[in-house]
Every structure is written in structure tokens, then in C-alpha cells.
Amino acid sequence: MERYDRAVRLWDSYVDEDPLPFAGSCAHGVEGFPELAPLWRLLSCFFPGRSPGGAFRLSRFDELILAILSTEEWQTPVKVYCNRSHMGSDLRDLGSCTGDLFVEDRLAQWAKHDSSAAVERAPGPKPPGHRMLSKVYRLTDRGQRLLDKGLERLTDAPILPIGGIDAYSASAPWVLLEDGRLARL
């Protein structure tokens, strides 16, 4: 029963609007839950970063997706997810916990975010109903600038729900610092 109660408290802290207690539990450990340290390494990949100089950068997850895309070649979400590179391997590692459809969802979010989207979308080789093959994507010049120079503001990227918060949110801006700690701006 004690382990169950600790698990419930962990879940409550994960879905809370303040992620610091959960991040602290991951960093310091909780008896009976040795998987928390690797879990935080995974979850931290979904938060945008902030350099010591104050510049914002894409989350590792978004960086991988956008870096795999091309400004010239249209790619299905399957091709992005199954990319045969070190970045593709890293993306699949993250996808092992989120699922491959999460990549398709994120590409769609990027394509419809902002009037000058970082990602373009077009009909794919399969009809609707084949989520990973019914659309194709490519990186725009704006997307390449975000990769190369980072974000001017957090809202340059679409909101990404994680736990009880939204990464890239203007109203509750959480960023990953260089030392791996999560901080609210």
C-alpha cells in the first residue's frame, strides 16, 4: 500500500502545473522507483532550452524532427520517424515512450503553427486514414532559421503538452537550463 501511495503522489506531481516537485523526485530519487532518473532524461527532451546568455532553443524532440526534415525533399512521418541516422535513432528512442503517431501529431502542429510556419504540409501517397502516410512535410526557410539560430520567443514553436503543463507556453514558460534543471521564467 505504501508503494501505491508513493506512485499516486508521483503521478499527482507529474500532472501538476508546477513540474519542479516531479523533476526533483526524478533527480533525488524515490525509494522503490529507480526508473525516475532515466525518466527525467526522457521528459527533459520535450522542454525548450535556455542558454546562459538567455537565448531560447528548441527542445531536443523538436530539434530532431526539424533536423531530419529537408527544405527540398517532402517526407512522410514514417520516413522522418524511420530516418537511418543518429538523429533518427535518437528520435525513435524518444518515440519508444510516446509512440510513432506522436511524431505525426507534432509535424502537423508545426505545419499549422503561425502564419509563416516552420514546416510545410501537402497530401501524401496514401489517402486519409493512413496517418503516417497521408501527408508529407518539408522544412521551410523559417524552420531552418529556428534550427540554426534558435527561438526569438518561446511562442515561435507550437505548444507541446507534457505532464500537467504546456512546453513553449507564453503564460507559464518553463525551460530547461544548460545544467539540466527546469526553471520557470
Side-chain angles (χ1 to χ4, degrees):
M1 188 64 163
E2 185 179 326
R3 179 173 164 76
Y4 172 81
D5 290 340
R6 279 185 296 202
V8 169
R9 284 192 300 277
L10 280 170
W11 178 256
D12 286 344
S13 69
Y14 173 67
V15 298
D16 193 85
E17 61 187 31
D18 179 359
L20 290 179
F22 183 76
S25 293
C26 291
H28 304 297
V30 173
E31 184 182 339
F33 296 93
E35 62 276 1
L36 286 179
L39 177 61
W40 180 248
R41 281 193 296 279
L42 168 80
L43 291 175
S44 67
C45 292
F46 294 92
F47 287 97
R50 186 153 195 199
S51 70
F56 295 115
R57 65 181 186 286
L58 295 166
S59 69
R60 178 67 177 147
F61 179 70
D62 283 330
E63 179 184 57
L64 290 168
I65 288 174
L66 296 185
I68 290 170
L69 286 176
S70 165
T71 55
E72 297 171 12
E73 177 191 359
W74 291 95
Q75 298 177 62
T76 63
V78 167
K79 191 166 184 182
V80 171
Y81 189 76
C82 295
N83 184 277
R84 292 180 182 238
S85 68
H86 182 69
M87 289 185 297
S89 177
D90 288 351
L91 182 61
R92 284 186 299 282
D93 285 346
L94 292 175
S96 69
C97 292
T98 62
D100 57 353
L101 292 178
F102 195 69
V103 170
E104 188 273 333
D105 287 342
R106 192 63 177 157
L107 284 166
Q109 290 167 355
W110 273 106
K112 65 183 179 185
H113 180 71
D114 225 352
S115 59
S116 58
V119 172
E120 290 181 289
R121 177 174 50 187
K126 295 282 186 178
H130 298 275
R131 286 185 57 188
M132 295 292 280
L133 297 168
S134 64
K135 302 282 186 221
V136 289
Y137 297 87
R138 72 178 174 188
L139 195 64
T140 65
D141 290 338
R142 181 171 186 263
Q144 189 63 56
R145 281 192 305 278
L146 290 176
L147 270 173
D148 295 342
K149 299 182 185 203
L151 307 163
E152 289 181 28
R153 335 172 262 296
L154 287 178
T155 56
D156 287 342
I159 287 175
L160 178 62
I162 181 146
I165 66 167
D166 292 327
Y168 298 105
S169 170
S171 63
W174 291 96
V175 294
L176 193 65
L177 302 177
E178 291 289 316
D179 63 5
R181 287 180 300 123
L182 197 59
R184 185 169 179 166
L185 301 179

PDB file of all heavy atoms in Angstrom, residues 72-84:
ATOM      1  N   GLU A  72      14.062  20.623 -49.205  1.00  0.00           N
ATOM      2  CA  GLU A  72      13.783  20.284 -50.602  1.00  0.00           C
ATOM      3  C   GLU A  72      12.919  19.033 -50.760  1.00  0.00           C
ATOM      4  O   GLU A  72      12.007  18.999 -51.574  1.00  0.00           O
ATOM      5  CB  GLU A  72      15.097  20.102 -51.354  1.00  0.00           C
ATOM      6  CG  GLU A  72      15.906  21.389 -51.401  1.00  0.00           C
ATOM      7  CD  GLU A  72      17.298  21.203 -51.941  1.00  0.00           C
ATOM      8  OE1 GLU A  72      17.585  20.134 -52.502  1.00  0.00           O
ATOM      9  OE2 GLU A  72      18.098  22.136 -51.789  1.00  0.00           O
ATOM     10  N   GLU A  73      13.202  17.999 -50.006  1.00  0.00           N
ATOM     11  CA  GLU A  73      12.507  16.718 -50.157  1.00  0.00           C
ATOM     12  C   GLU A  73      11.295  16.642 -49.234  1.00  0.00           C
ATOM     13  O   GLU A  73      11.382  16.914 -48.043  1.00  0.00           O
ATOM     14  CB  GLU A  73      13.473  15.575 -49.826  1.00  0.00           C
ATOM     15  CG  GLU A  73      12.844  14.210 -49.890  1.00  0.00           C
ATOM     16  CD  GLU A  73      13.742  13.115 -49.305  1.00  0.00           C
ATOM     17  OE1 GLU A  73      14.859  13.421 -48.862  1.00  0.00           O
ATOM     18  OE2 GLU A  73      13.280  11.971 -49.276  1.00  0.00           O
ATOM     19  N   TRP A  74      10.142  16.254 -49.791  1.00  0.00           N
ATOM     20  CA  TRP A  74       8.942  16.005 -49.000  1.00  0.00           C
ATOM     21  C   TRP A  74       9.088  14.628 -48.347  1.00  0.00           C
ATOM     22  O   TRP A  74       9.513  13.687 -48.999  1.00  0.00           O
ATOM     23  CB  TRP A  74       7.700  16.017 -49.885  1.00  0.00           C
ATOM     24  CG  TRP A  74       7.364  17.377 -50.419  1.00  0.00           C
ATOM     25  CD1 TRP A  74       7.731  17.889 -51.622  1.00  0.00           C
ATOM     26  CD2 TRP A  74       6.595  18.386 -49.766  1.00  0.00           C
ATOM     27  NE1 TRP A  74       7.231  19.167 -51.760  1.00  0.00           N
ATOM     28  CE2 TRP A  74       6.523  19.493 -50.633  1.00  0.00           C
ATOM     29  CE3 TRP A  74       5.958  18.468 -48.527  1.00  0.00           C
ATOM     30  CZ2 TRP A  74       5.843  20.668 -50.310  1.00  0.00           C
ATOM     31  CZ3 TRP A  74       5.275  19.631 -48.210  1.00  0.00           C
ATOM     32  CH2 TRP A  74       5.226  20.711 -49.080  1.00  0.00           C
ATOM     33  N   GLN A  75       8.722  14.536 -47.059  1.00  0.00           N
ATOM     34  CA  GLN A  75       8.853  13.277 -46.335  1.00  0.00           C
ATOM     35  C   GLN A  75       7.579  12.956 -45.576  1.00  0.00           C
ATOM     36  O   GLN A  75       6.970  13.841 -44.972  1.00  0.00           O
ATOM     37  CB  GLN A  75      10.011  13.352 -45.327  1.00  0.00           C
ATOM     38  CG  GLN A  75      11.364  13.570 -45.960  1.00  0.00           C
ATOM     39  CD  GLN A  75      12.436  13.705 -44.900  1.00  0.00           C
ATOM     40  OE1 GLN A  75      12.669  12.762 -44.140  1.00  0.00           O
ATOM     41  NE2 GLN A  75      13.066  14.858 -44.835  1.00  0.00           N
ATOM     42  N   THR A  76       7.211  11.698 -45.570  1.00  0.00           N
ATOM     43  CA  THR A  76       6.087  11.250 -44.748  1.00  0.00           C
ATOM     44  C   THR A  76       6.564  11.177 -43.292  1.00  0.00           C
ATOM     45  O   THR A  76       7.768  11.086 -43.032  1.00  0.00           O
ATOM     46  CB  THR A  76       5.608   9.848 -45.173  1.00  0.00           C
ATOM     47  OG1 THR A  76       6.676   8.919 -44.954  1.00  0.00           O
ATOM     48  CG2 THR A  76       5.131   9.820 -46.616  1.00  0.00           C
ATOM     49  N   PRO A  77       5.625  11.180 -42.344  1.00  0.00           N
ATOM     50  CA  PRO A  77       6.023  10.974 -40.952  1.00  0.00           C
ATOM     51  C   PRO A  77       6.773   9.653 -40.744  1.00  0.00           C
ATOM     52  O   PRO A  77       7.681   9.583 -39.918  1.00  0.00           O
ATOM     53  CB  PRO A  77       4.695  10.990 -40.191  1.00  0.00           C
ATOM     54  CG  PRO A  77       3.826  11.886 -41.021  1.00  0.00           C
ATOM     55  CD  PRO A  77       4.210  11.564 -42.445  1.00  0.00           C
ATOM     56  N   VAL A  78       6.422   8.615 -41.516  1.00  0.00           N
ATOM     57  CA  VAL A  78       7.136   7.344 -41.409  1.00  0.00           C
ATOM     58  C   VAL A  78       8.608   7.532 -41.769  1.00  0.00           C
ATOM     59  O   VAL A  78       9.497   7.042 -41.083  1.00  0.00           O
ATOM     60  CB  VAL A  78       6.512   6.261 -42.327  1.00  0.00           C
ATOM     61  CG1 VAL A  78       7.423   5.060 -42.473  1.00  0.00           C
ATOM     62  CG2 VAL A  78       5.173   5.825 -41.797  1.00  0.00           C
ATOM     63  N   LYS A  79       8.852   8.264 -42.834  1.00  0.00           N
ATOM     64  CA  LYS A  79      10.234   8.478 -43.267  1.00  0.00           C
ATOM     65  C   LYS A  79      11.016   9.296 -42.234  1.00  0.00           C
ATOM     66  O   LYS A  79      12.193   9.050 -42.006  1.00  0.00           O
ATOM     67  CB  LYS A  79      10.268   9.160 -44.638  1.00  0.00           C
ATOM     68  CG  LYS A  79      11.641   9.159 -45.247  1.00  0.00           C
ATOM     69  CD  LYS A  79      11.609   9.509 -46.705  1.00  0.00           C
ATOM     70  CE  LYS A  79      13.013   9.381 -47.276  1.00  0.00           C
ATOM     71  NZ  LYS A  79      13.062   9.751 -48.682  1.00  0.00           N
ATOM     72  N   VAL A  80      10.356  10.264 -41.618  1.00  0.00           N
ATOM     73  CA  VAL A  80      11.008  11.044 -40.557  1.00  0.00           C
ATOM     74  C   VAL A  80      11.327  10.125 -39.383  1.00  0.00           C
ATOM     75  O   VAL A  80      12.456  10.084 -38.894  1.00  0.00           O
ATOM     76  CB  VAL A  80      10.125  12.234 -40.108  1.00  0.00           C
ATOM     77  CG1 VAL A  80      10.703  12.910 -38.876  1.00  0.00           C
ATOM     78  CG2 VAL A  80       9.954  13.234 -41.253  1.00  0.00           C
ATOM     79  N   TYR A  81      10.333   9.369 -38.940  1.00  0.00           N
ATOM     80  CA  TYR A  81      10.495   8.506 -37.770  1.00  0.00           C
ATOM     81  C   TYR A  81      11.525   7.404 -38.007  1.00  0.00           C
ATOM     82  O   TYR A  81      12.281   7.043 -37.109  1.00  0.00           O
ATOM     83  CB  TYR A  81       9.141   7.891 -37.393  1.00  0.00           C
ATOM     84  CG  TYR A  81       9.161   7.149 -36.077  1.00  0.00           C
ATOM     85  CD1 TYR A  81       9.160   7.845 -34.876  1.00  0.00           C
ATOM     86  CD2 TYR A  81       9.169   5.763 -36.033  1.00  0.00           C
ATOM     87  CE1 TYR A  81       9.175   7.178 -33.670  1.00  0.00           C
ATOM     88  CE2 TYR A  81       9.176   5.083 -34.832  1.00  0.00           C
ATOM     89  CZ  TYR A  81       9.187   5.799 -33.651  1.00  0.00           C
ATOM     90  OH  TYR A  81       9.207   5.136 -32.462  1.00  0.00           O
ATOM     91  N   CYS A  82      11.572   6.881 -39.197  1.00  0.00           N
ATOM     92  CA  CYS A  82      12.470   5.752 -39.512  1.00  0.00           C
ATOM     93  C   CYS A  82      13.786   6.204 -40.146  1.00  0.00           C
ATOM     94  O   CYS A  82      14.511   5.374 -40.712  1.00  0.00           O
ATOM     95  CB  CYS A  82      11.761   4.758 -40.426  1.00  0.00           C
ATOM     96  SG  CYS A  82      10.347   3.966 -39.627  1.00  0.00           S
ATOM     97  N   ASN A  83      14.103   7.473 -40.050  1.00  0.00           N
ATOM     98  CA  ASN A  83      15.328   8.005 -40.634  1.00  0.00           C
ATOM     99  C   ASN A  83      16.538   7.211 -40.151  1.00  0.00           C
ATOM    100  O   ASN A  83      16.695   6.972 -38.963  1.00  0.00           O
ATOM    101  CB  ASN A  83      15.464   9.482 -40.255  1.00  0.00           C
ATOM    102  CG  ASN A  83      16.653  10.137 -40.886  1.00  0.00           C
ATOM    103  OD1 ASN A  83      17.761  10.035 -40.374  1.00  0.00           O
ATOM    104  ND2 ASN A  83      16.416  10.815 -41.988  1.00  0.00           N
ATOM    105  N   ARG A  84      17.379   6.815 -41.094  1.00  0.00           N
ATOM    106  CA  ARG A  84      18.541   5.976 -40.777  1.00  0.00           C
ATOM    107  C   ARG A  84      19.767   6.832 -40.493  1.00  0.00           C
ATOM    108  O   ARG A  84      20.719   6.853 -41.266  1.00  0.00           O
ATOM    109  CB  ARG A  84      18.829   5.016 -41.915  1.00  0.00           C
ATOM    110  CG  ARG A  84      17.762   3.982 -42.079  1.00  0.00           C
ATOM    111  CD  ARG A  84      18.096   3.064 -43.221  1.00  0.00           C
ATOM    112  NE  ARG A  84      17.044   2.110 -43.391  1.00  0.00           N
ATOM    113  CZ  ARG A  84      17.228   0.804 -43.339  1.00  0.00           C
ATOM    114  NH1 ARG A  84      18.418   0.306 -43.161  1.00  0.00           N
ATOM    115  NH2 ARG A  84      16.205   0.002 -43.505  1.00  0.00           N
TER     116      ARG A  84
END
